[in-house]
Amino acid sequence: MDHEVLDFDIGVGVSSGGDVDDDAIDIEHHVIDEDDMLDSPMPDISVANSDAGNYFPEGDLLDLEPYDGLEFESEEAAKAFYNSYARRIGFSTRVSSSRRSRRDGAIIQRQFVCAKEGFRNMNEKRTKDREIKRPRTITRVGCKASLSVKMQDSGKWLVSGFVKEHNHELVPPDQVHCLRSHRQISGPAKTLIDTLQAAGMGPRRIMSALIKEYGGISKVGFTEVDCRNYMRNNRQKSIEGEIQLLLDYLRQMNADNPNFYYAVQGSEDHSVGNVIWADPKGITDFTYFGDTVTFDTTYRSNRYRLPFAPFTGVNHHGQPILFGCAFIINETEASFVWLFNTWLAAMSAHPPVSITTDHDAVIRAAIMQVFPGARHRFCKWHIFKKCQEKLSHVFLKHPSFESDFHKSVNLTESVEDFESCWFSLVDKYELRDHEWLQAIYSDRRQWVPVYLRDTFFAEMSLTQRSDSMNSYFDGYINASTNLSQFFKLYEKARESRLEKEVKADYDTMNAPPVLKTPSPMEKQASELYTRKLFMRFQEELVGTLTFMASKADDDGDLVTYQVAKYGEAHKAHFVKFNVLEMRANCSCQMFEFSGIICRHILAVFRVTNLLTLPPYYILKRWTRNAKSSVIFDDYGLHAYANYLESHTVRYNTLRHKASNFVQEAGKSLYTCDVAVVALQEAAKTVSLAMKNEFRRTMANGHVKESSVTEGKQTCCNEDCQQEVPQPEPEDEMDKKINQLRNELELANRKCEAYRTNLLSVLKEMEDQKLQVSIKMQNIKISLKDNL
């Protein structure tokens, strides 16, 4: 019988070794244990390197089975044929051994075997002296099925041995695609995966599309694990190919401006670590607005497929600003620790008060190491998005679930209210045993608002539905953005954000807001806050008109007020007001969370006749001078406020003490008569003090002695015959001390006047500087537009 020559132009499986005969040396045995690989993500040996796919015989060769003497044009063709035969029968193949020629070392014989050939070596070095955390299923059962081929002098390969029988059950046709040697991605499938991956789809959705396209999972020819690995390898190769573009860009930015900062984890030439950078404006902005930071990693999710994460914050206009950017290649805890430490060093090692990230255990562990004193919050937007994915069946079955979930998270006023609403929610929808809900409930202190209101996060509202990540790059970076496009879009986003900040500065300086009340407090705020923040404050101030504040408790210097709308006492908030310090704390904690005073405290200020905002309640980061290099202390920054406020403070202090005095004295007739006498005596003393104060003022700080006589003097009040004790005659030393004291007091007053004038001049200079800066930025923007 003439030998039949089959030509298979493809390669499958993994190559390795052979037997030994008189003309062969170098026995090579294939040592890859398939058992160890079936339960783990597939390496890219059989997926990424197989562009041609499987061979399926046609016509008369459809049922062809190997036999001794069958010839092939090449070793690869023999391998492909046996693998195609194995697919048809229902088993997986691998290369077992090979033989090399003594003359030139070329492989002259191969043996292909069933994947279940042999037995696992339980004494392998890799299993010794270490605990196996996840034992693999033993699948090798000593099967003898094999195909041996030998190279002829003609260069063709001849079947020299074939064992057909298996000692195990074969796999049915609808499961054969799960066998390792048959799990290969064809060229058309790769093209479709690449297209869908570029559109932002994940492996699960891509596999669904492939199954629909090919008419079933068995016809796709590979599993979701293979698809995921191919996408990961594809993405990694793309990143490695474009990483040089990023480094070139950063080097050029640093060459143009030495203050531009960047760092690479590991070697720049062979970087496999993360990359971080920050421009000079971001570093400067952090000194003014670095109290709260968002680390936005949503761009590396399936939505964007870009390993990019910006550090952002909020400026004095409530706009998102950029502190720096990271290019994330390694997502291990150690890599994030390096990333945060490097960024913190670039920001002059001043950690933020609070930091917001997505819900990620690795990031949380890194933040605990680098920012131990910062309050870490999980992004509520990320939690809500995950909720829609994890509970999609609940959303479909119960349309009211979303509203109930929102109310329990966002609209509860206290921890007790949240706990009650949460358990009512999970009971109502029978979700007490839902694993994901239990996990986020365990982390509730890091994302539910009622647990976070005592920390500053620079947000305008306590009850907004979804506090998404600061969307600095929204509208510029999308699902189809790749790294080569990223740089241009990055620059456009920065220019646009700068233009909006300049416009907000201009509006603040040149468009005074319309006042809605005659309150001195509103006028004061309009001159201090930026326009956007003033509008937010104005909402709270006008909102006080619908609230009533009534005293609920009086504990000396600390008075508690109940603040509520008329007829809604059950929704009341409680404000504790320290009369002497002019400080109040509200149960809603809006000021602590946003830095904007709430309407409940403003209502208490209204009933206590406090006409202006105390300096404590005006955060510099929300004022129009937030980026001023001049350090205005409380007195200098709020000199006008202190001037207006001083009378109110004195009035409130006296009224508070007098109220307590009257309540105690009025308890009996006797104490009332004693109190009347005491008040008369106090009135005479105050009257004398007022006259002395007038004489001090007329003397420009020097105390005149004309108002006193030697010995005793009667009170100036005609109805008062009380003798006022006079000081004893002073010796020369005492007179000198008094003279120096008076001169020092006068000098202090003059210094305060000079200081106030100087601060006023500096403030005007800062305003002029800001105006010039705005004009310069407008000119730059117009020049770019003309170009």
Side-chain angles (χ1 to χ4, degrees):
M1 175 180 177
D2 295 335
H3 296 312
E4 184 178 0
V5 180
L6 301 182
D7 185 6
F8 296 92
D9 241 358
I10 51 177
V12 295
V14 186
S15 302
S16 202
D19 293 331
V20 176
D21 58 19
D22 295 338
D23 192 34
I25 58 171
D26 299 334
I27 298 177
E28 298 178 3
H29 294 283
H30 182 63
V31 296
I32 295 178
D33 191 346
E34 188 182 32
D35 300 340
D36 290 340
M37 308 183 79
L38 288 174
D39 297 333
S40 60
M42 277 183 60
D44 57 339
I45 296 174
S46 63
V47 176
N49 295 336
S50 54
D51 295 331
N54 291 326
Y55 173 82
F56 296 95
E58 299 179 359
D60 295 337
L61 302 180
L62 181 62
D63 298 323
L64 183 65
E65 123 180 335
Y67 58 86
D68 289 348
L70 183 61
E71 276 191 356
F72 299 93
E73 287 295 328
S74 65
E75 173 201 345
E76 288 74 19
K79 186 193 305 181
F81 170 77
Y82 189 59
N83 199 61
S84 294
Y85 164 76
R87 182 183 180 92
R88 188 168 70 251
I89 299 302
F91 67 96
S92 180
T93 66
R94 58 183 173 84
V95 179
S96 175
S97 59
S98 65
R99 294 178 181 176
R100 293 181 182 273
S101 171
R102 293 178 182 274
R103 291 189 296 268
D104 56 10
I107 294 175
I108 60 174
Q109 187 171 346
R110 287 284 196 188
Q111 184 183 33
F112 310 112
V113 299
C114 173
K116 294 182 179 289
E117 180 269 347
F119 298 93
R120 177 180 296 182
N121 184 358
M122 300 306 294
N123 295 321
E124 292 180 2
K125 183 179 179 180
R126 61 189 174 88
T127 63
K128 289 183 178 179
D129 302 326
R130 71 180 178 90
E131 180 185 358
I132 299 176
K133 295 182 179 179
R134 192 167 59 124
R136 308 295 187 186
T137 303
I138 296 178
T139 59
R140 293 196 179 186
V141 294
C143 181
K144 299 296 184 180
S146 65
L147 177 73
S148 299
V149 292
K150 186 174 182 179
M151 188 174 69
Q152 305 298 299
D153 293 339
S154 63
K156 294 182 172 56
W157 288 72
L158 182 73
V159 174
S160 60
F162 172 60
V163 178
K164 178 180 179 180
E165 292 74 18
H166 296 264
N167 67 347
H168 55 86
E169 292 185 3
L170 300 178
V171 175
D174 62 339
Q175 298 177 15
V176 73
H177 67 280
C178 297
L179 296 173
R180 178 170 177 74
S181 68
H182 309 306
R183 288 161 56 180
Q184 299 178 13
I185 303 179
S186 64
K190 288 181 179 180
T191 302
L192 183 56
I193 292 174
D194 293 343
T195 302
L196 297 178
Q197 183 179 11
M201 291 178 63
R204 185 173 300 175
R205 294 178 61 193
I206 290 178
M207 280 301 296
S208 298
L210 287 167
I211 292 171
K212 185 176 181 181
E213 176 72 18
Y214 285 90
I217 182 64
S218 61
K219 296 182 180 180
V220 172
F222 52 89
T223 65
E224 183 179 326
V225 173
D226 303 326
C227 179
R228 189 181 302 275
N229 289 334
Y230 173 77
M231 293 174 63
R232 183 195 63 223
N233 296 334
N234 208 23
R235 179 168 171 259
Q236 188 68 25
K237 289 178 181 178
S238 175
I239 291 173
E240 290 172 356
E242 293 179 333
I243 189 66
Q244 195 60 43
L245 293 175
L246 175 65
L247 295 179
D248 290 343
Y249 172 82
L250 297 178
R251 292 190 191 102
Q252 184 60 47
M253 293 294 289
N254 180 256
D256 295 341
N257 188 341
N259 292 324
F260 183 92
Y261 176 88
Y262 80 98
V264 181
Q265 187 179 19
S267 170
E268 288 192 27
D269 297 330
H270 301 87
S271 175
V272 293
N274 299 326
V275 181
I276 188 171
W277 71 92
D279 59 51
K281 184 181 184 303
I283 296 173
T284 301
D285 282 346
F286 184 82
T287 62
Y288 306 125
F289 310 112
D291 41 16
T292 184
V293 174
T294 294
F295 181 58
D296 188 353
T297 53
T298 55
Y299 294 94
R300 68 191 174 106
S301 66
N302 286 341
R303 180 183 174 191
Y304 295 102
R305 311 305 300 168
L306 191 68
F308 166 69
F311 292 88
T312 59
V314 179
N315 67 6
H316 52 324
H317 301 292
Q319 300 169 330
I321 53 175
L322 189 65
F323 295 142
C325 298
F327 193 75
I328 304 172
I329 298 176
N330 291 334
E331 300 182 26
T332 63
E333 180 181 331
S335 292
F336 280 114
V337 168
W338 174 88
L339 190 70
F340 293 146
N341 275 321
T342 306
W343 176 77
L344 188 60
M347 300 294 116
S348 302
H350 293 297
V353 173
S354 60
I355 185 167
T356 303
T357 71
D358 63 4
H359 191 203
D360 189 293
V362 175
I363 294 177
R364 170 165 57 181
I367 285 178
M368 290 175 64
Q369 295 184 51
V370 183
F371 306 110
R375 189 71 175 273
H376 182 201
R377 177 180 68 165
F378 295 135
C379 178
K380 193 168 60 180
W381 174 84
H382 189 267
I383 300 288
F384 271 66
K385 291 292 289 183
K386 278 289 184 182
C387 182
Q388 294 174 2
E389 296 175 14
K390 300 290 186 179
L391 299 171
S392 57
H393 61 289
V394 181
F395 278 77
L396 290 174
K397 186 178 180 180
H398 303 285
S400 61
F401 174 78
E402 183 177 10
S403 175
D404 290 344
F405 186 77
H406 160 67
K407 289 178 182 177
S408 65
V409 172
N410 288 327
L411 302 184
T412 47
E413 296 290 342
S414 66
V415 172
E416 293 75 16
D417 289 342
F418 166 74
E419 296 284 346
S420 175
C421 287
W422 180 268
F423 287 112
S424 296
L425 177 79
V426 295
D427 287 340
K428 178 180 178 181
Y429 296 100
E430 300 179 351
L431 296 171
R432 268 192 182 265
D433 297 327
H434 193 278
E435 184 177 352
W436 183 79
L437 275 181
Q438 287 180 340
I440 64 170
Y441 174 75
S442 298
D443 293 333
R444 62 193 181 279
R445 289 176 177 80
Q446 288 184 266
W447 69 276
V448 177
V450 292
Y451 294 98
L452 297 163
R453 289 177 178 173
D454 60 344
T455 304
F456 182 74
F457 283 97
E459 291 184 4
M460 302 295 175
S461 173
L462 286 168
T463 59
Q464 58 189 13
R465 188 176 183 83
S466 178
D467 56 328
S468 64
M469 296 285 194
N470 292 319
S471 51
Y472 188 91
F473 290 98
D474 272 11
Y476 297 92
I477 296 176
N478 54 44
S480 61
T481 302
N482 56 41
L483 189 59
S484 59
Q485 299 169 326
F486 168 75
F487 305 117
K488 292 181 180 179
L489 298 174
Y490 168 82
E491 292 292 345
K492 285 185 179 180
R494 289 179 61 248
E495 291 176 4
S496 175
R497 293 297 179 184
L498 177 59
E499 182 180 355
K500 290 179 180 179
E501 183 176 343
V502 169
K503 179 67 166 56
D505 284 338
Y506 180 84
D507 290 343
T508 295
M509 300 302 296
N510 296 281
V514 177
L515 303 184
K516 296 183 179 180
T517 71
S519 168
M521 187 179 293
E522 185 181 18
K523 184 176 187 303
Q524 171 201 14
S526 70
E527 295 173 352
L528 293 173
Y529 284 133
T530 61
R531 184 179 178 87
K532 174 73 175 293
L533 265 294
F534 170 73
M535 300 295 286
R536 184 67 188 85
F537 167 80
Q538 193 177 55
E539 288 180 20
E540 295 299 313
L541 184 64
V542 173
T544 63
L545 299 177
T546 61
F547 280 82
M548 299 177 60
S550 57
K551 188 181 296 185
D553 184 43
D554 191 342
D555 185 17
D557 295 334
L558 189 65
V559 183
T560 301
Y561 289 86
Q562 178 176 313
V563 183
K565 291 183 179 180
Y566 179 76
E568 296 184 3
H570 60 288
K571 296 182 180 179
H573 287 82
F574 292 90
V575 177
K576 294 183 178 180
F577 181 42
N578 189 309
V579 179
L580 299 180
E581 296 181 3
M582 290 292 111
R583 288 194 182 185
N585 298 101
C586 181
S587 58
C588 78
Q589 295 183 306
M590 177 176 168
F591 178 75
E592 289 80 2
F593 185 77
S594 64
I596 303 172
I597 194 168
C598 65
R599 59 191 63 190
H600 315 114
I601 294 179
L602 291 174
V604 171
F605 285 173
R606 187 185 71 240
V607 300
T608 55
N609 295 321
L610 193 58
L611 303 179
T612 61
L613 278 176
Y616 173 76
Y617 292 100
I618 303 176
L619 299 189
K620 185 181 177 183
R621 62 116 53 234
W622 289 136
T623 68
R624 58 182 62 191
N625 291 311
K627 299 171 76 171
S628 168
S629 58
V630 179
I631 301 176
F632 296 97
D633 62 12
D634 288 344
Y635 181 87
L637 181 61
H638 308 292
Y640 175 67
N642 287 347
Y643 171 75
L644 290 177
E645 183 184 303
S646 57
H647 177 268
T648 305
V649 173
R650 294 193 300 270
Y651 174 81
N652 282 335
T653 301
L654 289 174
R655 189 180 69 167
H656 178 67
K657 291 186 176 298
S659 176
N660 292 337
F661 176 78
V662 170
Q663 289 179 5
E664 293 296 325
K667 291 181 178 180
S668 67
L669 181 61
Y670 174 74
T671 55
C672 181
D673 292 339
V674 172
V676 169
V677 175
L679 287 174
Q680 291 175 346
E681 296 293 335
K684 296 173 184 177
T685 304
V686 169
S687 177
L688 177 61
M690 290 176 62
K691 291 183 178 181
N692 288 337
E693 180 66 21
F694 175 75
R695 290 168 182 162
R696 291 171 187 269
T697 304
M698 294 297 295
N700 292 324
H702 292 281
V703 181
K704 301 190 71 171
E705 302 297 332
S706 58
S707 60
V708 294
T709 58
E710 305 236 354
K712 297 180 181 179
Q713 179 183 341
T714 59
C715 178
C716 297
N717 191 319
E718 295 178 0
D719 299 329
C720 179
Q721 300 300 320
Q722 179 184 3
E723 293 182 347
V724 179
Q726 299 299 313
E728 296 293 331
E730 300 174 333
D731 56 19
E732 292 299 323
M733 182 63 70
D734 290 337
K735 291 180 179 179
K736 188 65 174 179
I737 291 174
N738 285 334
Q739 181 182 356
L740 292 174
R741 183 184 294 115
N742 291 334
E743 291 177 357
L744 178 61
E745 181 182 355
L746 179 61
N748 285 335
R749 292 182 181 180
K750 290 181 179 180
C751 286
E752 288 297 327
Y754 293 149
R755 181 172 173 275
T756 301
N757 291 335
L758 177 59
L759 288 171
S760 177
V761 171
L762 290 174
K763 184 176 181 300
E764 291 179 4
M765 291 174 62
E766 286 295 326
D767 290 344
Q768 293 177 3
K769 178 181 175 183
L770 182 59
Q771 291 278 13
V772 173
S773 175
I774 293 172
K775 291 179 181 178
M776 289 179 62
Q777 293 295 342
N778 286 330
I779 292 172
K780 289 181 180 179
I781 293 171
S782 62
L783 287 174
K784 288 183 179 179
D785 293 339
N786 293 332
L787 292 175

